[in-house]
Amino acid sequence: MDRLGAFSSTPSAQLSRHQQLRVQCVQGRPLAAASLRRVVRPAALPCPRAAAAAALHRRPAVPGRKAYVQPLRAVAMSGAQDSLTSADSQAQPLEIEIDNEAEREFTLIRVEGRGQGDALLAALSSGLQQFGVNVNSAAQQSEDGMVLNVFKVTTTDGKKVPKERWDGLRDLVQNMASTTKVSNQPAIYGQLAAADVMRLKGQVQPGLTTGDAVALELAAAEMAQAAAVFVALEKEMDKLRAKGADGGVIALKDTARQEAAAVLERKMAAMEACLAARRVIAVPEQPKTAAEMMAEQMKAAVTAPPSVTSTGPAAGNGYEILLQAFNWESHKRNWYKDCIPKVADWAKQGFTAIWLPPPSDSVSPQGYLPRDLYQLDSCYGSEAELRELIQVCHQHNIKVIADIVVNHRCATYQGEGGKWNKFGGRLAWDNTAICNNNPAWSGRGAHKTGDDYPAAPNIDHTQERIQNDIIEWLRFLKNSIGFDGWRYDFVRGYGGQFVKIYTDATVPEMAFGEYWDTCEYTDGVLNYNQDAHRQRTVNWVDATGGTNAAFDFTTKGILQEALGRNELWRLVDAQGRPPGFVGMWPSRAITFIDNHDTGSTLNHWPFPNNHLQEGYAYILTHPGTPCVFYDHLYAEGGLRECILDLLAVRKRHNLDVRAKVQVRKAAGDVYAATINDAIAVKIGRGDWSPNSARIEAPGGKQWVRACNGKDWACWEVGTNRKKLSTGASNTASAASTTQHQHSHSLQDATSSAASALTTNSKGLVITAQQLSPSSPEVTSAPTKPVNAMAAVLTVDEEVFKSAARVTSAFLLLLAGCLVWQGVTRTSHMIAAVKRKERYERAKDVSLLPIDRTVFVAGCFHPTAAAAAAAAAAAAQAVKRKERYERAKDVSLLPIDRTVGNLLEWMPVFFGFFWTSMILTGGATVTAGWVYVAFRALYPFVAVNKGVTTAGAKPLILIATVPAYGALFALASPVIRAVFF
């Protein structure tokens, strides 16, 4: 509705004791003078209203006064009005006019009085509806305390209100305007609630922070108003049914009732969030001492969330940033070739992994109806081009994730009855591979373990042969093609236990699934509490043994609802955590805004286009593994710049999947949080900044703005205060960010006396004085990024157990090698004694004949013969000793070298392994197992001529290169944390 109308004063002589009214209708034409009537006033007015009434009649005329027109709201209904009558008011003087002549289709009702304002307009709008009069429009105009309300109404059948009903209308207005009845005993549902809403909304001024008490009161009033409307419509429905009304009329009224139920549900959710916020969003946290932070770290090292059941590749090393590098239309181009030149930019922008579309031959060009799994020439490009793309990604240290579609598979040939259930290619299955509750394909396998996918034959994953075939195909993709991880499509179609089998057998670097489940709704409204929805995702991840992560559809649903409807109170749950899956299990949550299904050209569940920047401000600063959609990365209008700025902040502060979030504010128009005590983010039109909220930055430093955009801003911990010049002014903050950079300067400038600096997205220092709208940014010395080691290190119990298992395995390997070495040396000692005995016996046997000959026969040269025999025996003894030493070296050298190598690298391995496990939350456990496994392989390779007396041979590289590679993987998180 619009507030329309004109109001002016004329000398009181024209109308006894009152000014003349001229109402400007919606069409803009004034009422005819004939429709104006003198209003009959009561002879006496009850105290204490008499003084106000007298003042009303004495009000002087002000010629030339202009009308004040203010829009209120628009409501489309049927309408009507006619004639004039007078009204007495027991509480305050009111002029009530009813006119059927001014409008061709409607009856006009005009109510004028002092001090009624929005409350009476709302109350009358609700009351007239309950009286059986449809309100087409309502307008209000006020001046000097006098308020004129104009209603266009009709009867329920669309006609003007007949004169015989005017008395009832007059009584209705009088009753509703009566202070005693309206306040204490409202006769019509919705009057008091609507009035309270109008009153409280007047206390909420744009651009100012609303007090929590006022916000709570407003939420309660809005809920009461919505409940009143809903109850009134329920009563009308009962009356219509009782009268046997036409089905069409009842259906129309039921539509309105359903809408009212949805509004009520939304208001109830807002009230629930308000109450939760008062419980969990506490007074700003006091800075912790070093001892307190150390105690928290020690406690976190042995504490684990109860839902964690195992470790695995899941979301990678904990610092991954994922790019979905395709959309629904990518198959129309040679996509692999298009991506190759972009890889270097993706690496510079901070992406550590890209997700590619399904690689196999498919009935649908997008790849989601696969046919021959081993045929990798697809609409996206050839197998050779795919290999080249993966190779280029690996050169830039980017992991490549394959989209794995194994819930279903399209057949190549028709089987019995003309059903398409015979598969071609290397995996030539028949209908025994199809689930038996897939009747369209005559499946003869076991019953399906998940939801049915009707578009194609559903594969029976319970069969061992099917599992082995899928595992071999995945190994082919990993070992031959070069993929590093898996994104499992439509995992609701088969049990999570099978996903665990495939993941364990192939050991990818990342693994996550698309568990797309419907959020919780009531009467078409998203519930505030989405615990049941996100728990179903937790259950699926549990079923995989924790080896897989999952897309956080809960966060997407809540985030787009909160931003699209200005209900940012949704962004915190009743425990003060993020409300999505990421709030329950952050290390297993893949957060995202849109993908090829929800957005792109399919638009199954798109994120509000005008709130994309705010959405990325949330997921790129919060825990979990963020996934950026290709379309958004290359979008125009500032979205690309927004994403790149936020990526830089995330990388600069090494935010990981378990970053600590503290929600500072969650109201209708503003959400604010701090992350790892190093980043602050604000989303929404409302005002907030860490400086105005007096949040202490760690280390005696200052909050400075890192980047901002439309309705969002991000701050980071900047330069230490003691290094700032005394002449610098305070940093700009975030007021309503619709003015982007320069709209952030007012609030912080008045909220803190300390001087500060601010930074742009490139990390250059800018004084606040240089951020005025009239001057460009002027840069000086670059700031040093915040060291990630300052963040609180946490490790859960399961991670601790995994690390202990790897450590135990290494120590058992070392013990086994020491036993092997001892046994080998003992056997050689025994052999040496036996060799010596044989040598002595051989020497005696070889010397005795010549000695006897010399002694008995007295040969001509006995001495020379004896010397020759002794020399021959000695030479033979030397040769035997040399052979023994060579044999001893060859047999002892491999185990000696193995033990020495293990002892030499043991402290290095343990240091990097335990530190990286703590830093990444257990993501490097696989690298630890790889190191131990290849160290165990070392002695076997060494024995088989990998190590000789001449030195190590190339064969030994089979065991050493992977081990050193695993050691480097363990060292990388430590190096990043210390130096970057």
Side-chain angles (χ1 to χ4, degrees):
M1 264 171 228
D2 293 329
R3 287 183 188 167
L4 301 173
F7 178 82
S8 62
S9 292
T10 59
S12 58
Q14 292 184 348
L15 285 176
S16 176
R17 300 190 302 165
H18 195 59
Q19 82 275 10
Q20 183 181 13
L21 293 176
R22 287 188 175 88
V23 179
Q24 197 169 20
C25 302
V26 176
Q27 288 87 352
R29 56 186 179 85
L31 296 175
S35 68
L36 298 175
R37 301 290 186 271
R38 186 181 298 253
V39 177
V40 180
R41 286 287 176 185
L45 293 170
C47 245
R49 303 289 182 182
L56 169 66
H57 301 320
R58 291 194 301 269
R59 183 168 61 88
V62 183
R65 208 163 35 189
K66 292 184 179 179
Y68 172 68
V69 181
Q70 179 184 5
L72 177 63
R73 61 187 179 200
V75 179
M77 303 178 184
S78 358
Q81 318 181 14
D82 205 291
S83 197
L84 179 76
T85 188
S86 63
D88 294 341
S89 174
Q90 299 176 0
Q92 62 183 33
L94 281 180
E95 290 183 358
I96 304 171
E97 181 186 52
I98 304 176
D99 192 339
N100 267 350
E101 300 174 0
E103 287 284 327
R104 184 176 63 181
E105 299 178 354
F106 308 121
T107 296
L108 287 181
I109 301 177
R110 305 180 191 85
V111 182
E112 185 190 23
R114 179 176 291 277
Q116 295 295 333
D118 290 345
L120 182 60
L121 180 68
L124 284 174
S125 298
S126 175
L128 291 170
Q129 194 80 13
Q130 305 303 319
F131 187 72
V133 173
N134 293 334
V135 180
N136 179 68
S137 66
Q140 184 182 83
Q141 179 264 325
S142 61
E143 187 172 353
D144 292 341
M146 293 298 297
V147 179
L148 174 64
N149 296 293
V150 182
F151 300 89
K152 286 184 172 186
V153 302
T154 64
T155 59
T156 54
D157 56 359
K159 298 179 181 178
K160 294 183 179 182
V161 179
K163 292 185 179 182
E164 54 267 23
R165 297 188 63 185
W166 287 4
D167 289 340
L169 282 176
R170 179 195 59 202
D171 294 337
L172 171 69
V173 174
Q174 285 178 329
N175 290 336
M176 294 175 64
S178 170
T179 302
T180 56
K181 287 191 176 182
V182 171
S183 298
N184 300 328
Q185 193 178 6
I188 300 172
Y189 287 101
Q191 295 177 32
L192 180 59
D196 276 347
V197 172
M198 293 298 181
R199 173 179 62 82
L200 290 165
K201 282 186 174 178
Q203 300 180 35
V204 182
Q205 302 179 36
L208 297 178
T209 301
T210 305
D212 289 341
V214 175
L216 182 61
E217 189 179 6
L218 176 59
E222 289 180 332
M223 185 175 70
Q225 182 188 24
V229 173
F230 178 71
V231 169
L233 288 169
E234 284 281 5
K235 286 179 173 288
E236 287 185 32
M237 290 281 292
D238 291 341
K239 290 178 181 178
L240 288 173
R241 292 191 187 99
K243 293 178 180 179
D246 180 68
V249 175
I250 294 178
L252 190 63
K253 186 63 67 175
D254 187 57
T255 302
R257 187 196 66 80
Q258 292 176 12
E259 180 65 24
V263 172
L264 175 58
E265 184 63 33
R266 193 172 296 282
K267 299 305 179 184
M268 290 172 66
M271 186 66 185
E272 183 182 359
C274 254
L275 292 172
R278 292 178 69 82
R279 291 193 299 268
V280 300
I281 303 178
V283 179
E285 184 180 351
Q286 296 297 320
K288 294 182 177 64
T289 64
E292 290 172 334
M293 294 183 67
M294 181 63 70
E296 286 187 359
Q297 294 176 22
M298 297 296 292
K299 181 179 178 181
V302 295
T303 304
S307 59
V308 177
T309 60
S310 180
T311 57
N317 61 19
Y319 295 89
E320 308 289 0
I321 301 176
L322 183 63
L323 171 67
Q324 181 181 355
F326 68 98
N327 59 32
W328 193 249
E329 305 299 328
S330 298
H331 65 90
K332 295 180 178 178
R333 299 158 58 183
N334 193 322
W335 195 248
Y336 297 149
K337 271 195 171 182
D338 284 356
C339 287
I340 289 173
K342 300 174 182 176
V343 172
D345 288 338
W346 293 342
K348 292 177 184 177
Q349 290 159 3
F351 293 103
T352 63
I354 64 169
W355 159 27
L356 290 180
S360 300
D361 164 59
S362 170
V363 172
S364 64
Q366 292 83 8
Y368 289 96
L369 292 175
R371 184 167 43 202
D372 185 353
L373 297 182
Y374 281 92
Q375 173 57 261
L376 301 187
D377 292 333
S378 69
C379 292
Y380 298 102
S382 66
E383 178 180 326
E385 291 163 343
L386 173 61
R387 289 177 181 271
E388 182 183 0
L389 172 58
I390 293 175
Q391 182 181 10
V392 172
C393 288
H394 288 168
Q395 290 171 357
H396 290 86
N397 297 317
I398 292 179
K399 302 178 181 68
V400 184
I401 312 301
D403 204 324
I404 303 302
V405 186
V406 291
N407 169 76
H408 50 273
R409 182 186 171 195
C410 291
T412 308
Y413 311 105
Q414 291 175 292
E416 297 178 3
K419 302 288 181 69
W420 290 87
N421 53 22
K422 294 181 66 176
F423 302 92
R426 287 175 57 177
L427 302 181
W429 302 333
D430 57 14
N431 61 351
T432 60
I434 302 173
C435 296
N436 60 22
N437 55 329
N438 228 191
W441 317 102
S442 297
R444 294 195 292 120
H447 204 70
K448 191 165 177 56
T449 57
D451 294 345
D452 185 46
Y453 185 82
N458 287 221
I459 302 304
D460 176 15
H461 290 265
T462 65
Q463 299 183 40
E464 187 175 354
R465 69 181 181 99
I466 300 297
Q467 295 172 12
N468 292 336
D469 284 347
I470 292 175
I471 289 171
E472 286 304 313
W473 174 61
L474 292 175
R475 285 175 176 165
F476 164 73
L477 293 181
K478 181 173 182 283
N479 301 328
S480 178
I481 305 302
F483 281 108
D484 303 293
W486 320 128
R487 177 264 185 190
Y488 294 98
D489 180 68
F490 193 66
V491 294
R492 287 183 59 188
Y494 53 105
Q497 66 271 27
F498 305 115
V499 177
K500 180 182 188 303
I501 291 173
Y502 304 142
T503 302
D504 286 345
T506 54
V507 197
E509 294 186 48
M510 293 181 72
F512 45 93
E514 179 206 32
Y515 191 87
W516 188 353
D517 191 20
T518 303
C519 290
E520 300 293 315
Y521 293 86
T522 301
D523 291 325
V525 176
L526 185 74
N527 292 351
Y528 167 69
N529 188 332
Q530 291 292 324
D531 286 351
H533 181 259
R534 55 181 175 171
Q535 184 61 47
R536 291 194 289 273
T537 309
V538 169
N539 294 343
W540 179 82
V541 175
D542 269 330
T544 72
T547 60
N548 277 251
F551 283 105
D552 192 350
F553 282 92
T554 316
T555 290
K556 171 180 168 58
I558 294 173
L559 189 59
Q560 65 187 40
E561 183 84 0
L563 292 171
R565 295 186 175 274
N566 204 32
E567 296 175 346
L568 297 176
W569 42 262
R570 292 183 178 274
L571 296 183
V572 61
D573 70 5
Q575 286 75 45
R577 306 170 300 181
F581 174 49
V582 70
M584 281 189 168
W585 204 342
S587 65
R588 299 299 186 268
I590 307 292
T591 55
F592 70 106
I593 298 299
D594 262 331
N595 60 31
H596 61 289
D597 284 324
T598 65
S600 192
T601 54
L602 280 184
N603 281 323
H604 284 330
W605 196 30
F607 204 89
N609 193 56
N610 56 330
H611 293 290
L612 289 170
Q613 288 194 27
E614 297 157 86
Y616 278 108
Y618 184 89
I619 70 168
L620 290 176
T621 57
H622 279 58
T625 300
C627 179
V628 176
F629 187 34
Y630 181 90
D631 290 5
H632 297 161
L633 181 63
Y634 290 95
E636 299 178 354
L639 180 57
R640 175 180 170 84
E641 291 72 19
C642 159
I643 292 173
L644 295 181
D645 286 345
L646 289 165
L647 284 172
V649 172
R650 188 176 184 92
K651 297 294 288 186
R652 194 155 59 240
H653 292 276
N654 271 343
L655 294 188
D656 67 351
V657 292
R658 286 190 175 90
K660 184 186 74 172
V661 176
Q662 185 171 1
V663 179
R664 302 289 182 169
K665 188 174 181 64
D669 63 346
V670 63
Y671 166 84
T674 53
I675 300 91
N676 278 357
D677 296 323
I679 291 176
V681 64
K682 167 254 169 188
I683 298 169
R685 298 194 299 266
D687 293 341
W688 187 89
S689 82
N691 294 317
S692 65
R694 301 184 182 279
I695 297 173
E696 287 290 332
K701 297 182 179 180
Q702 173 75 0
W703 291 102
V704 294
R705 194 175 69 242
C707 52
N708 65 279
K710 182 181 182 297
D711 294 338
W712 67 273
C714 180
W715 295 261
E716 60 188 348
V717 175
T719 309
N720 195 303
R721 287 191 182 96
K722 66 182 181 181
K723 296 182 180 180
L724 300 177
S725 62
T726 56
S729 62
N730 193 10
T731 181
S733 73
S736 177
T737 54
T738 53
Q739 298 300 321
H740 295 272
Q741 297 283 350
H742 304 306
S743 65
H744 293 270
S745 60
L746 178 60
Q747 187 176 0
D748 282 354
T750 60
S751 65
S752 175
S755 59
L757 296 180
T758 186
T759 63
N760 64 8
S761 60
K762 294 183 172 130
L764 301 177
V765 178
I766 310 163
T767 65
Q769 293 170 336
Q770 295 164 344
L771 284 176
S772 63
S774 59
S775 63
E777 295 183 351
V778 181
T779 61
S780 60
T783 60
K784 185 178 180 179
V786 176
N787 197 312
M789 291 298 290
V792 176
L793 303 178
T794 61
V795 56
D796 59 48
E797 183 180 2
E798 195 62 37
V799 172
F800 183 85
K801 289 180 180 178
S802 299
R805 284 194 287 267
V806 174
T807 303
S808 300
F810 183 89
L811 294 177
L812 286 173
L813 171 63
L814 178 60
C817 290
L818 289 172
V819 171
W820 186 354
Q821 185 184 41
V823 170
T824 305
R825 284 191 170 277
T826 301
S827 64
H828 272 275
M829 288 176 61
I830 295 173
V833 172
K834 291 181 178 179
R835 286 174 184 273
K836 187 175 181 180
E837 291 175 351
R838 287 198 300 270
Y839 161 68
E840 293 295 340
R841 287 198 302 270
K843 184 177 70 172
D844 292 341
V845 170
S846 59
L847 291 179
L848 184 61
I850 190 61
D851 289 345
R852 289 285 179 90
T853 301
V854 172
F855 179 75
V856 175
C859 294
F860 182 62
H861 297 293
T863 304
Q876 189 177 8
V878 170
K879 290 181 180 179
R880 288 181 177 180
K881 185 176 182 181
E882 289 176 352
R883 286 198 300 272
Y884 165 70
E885 292 297 338
R886 285 198 301 272
K888 183 179 72 172
D889 289 343
V890 171
S891 57
L892 290 180
L893 186 61
I895 190 62
D896 287 346
R897 186 70 65 87
T898 299
V899 171
N901 214 298
L902 287 174
L903 292 173
E904 179 182 1
W905 287 97
M906 182 172 66
V908 178
F909 167 65
F910 282 162
F912 282 137
F913 175 67
W914 278 94
T915 307
S916 65
M917 285 289 286
I918 294 173
L919 288 173
T920 64
T924 56
V925 66
T926 302
W929 282 115
V930 170
Y931 181 83
V932 173
F934 281 94
R935 280 300 181 201
L937 182 65
Y938 185 96
F940 298 100
V941 178
V943 167
N944 289 284
K945 298 183 180 181
V947 175
T948 66
T949 54
K953 298 300 181 180
L955 185 64
I956 201 66
L957 296 178
I958 296 174
T960 56
V961 171
Y964 292 140
L967 195 63
F968 179 76
L970 295 172
S972 297
V974 182
I975 295 171
R976 285 199 302 269
V978 173
F979 297 105
F980 302 103

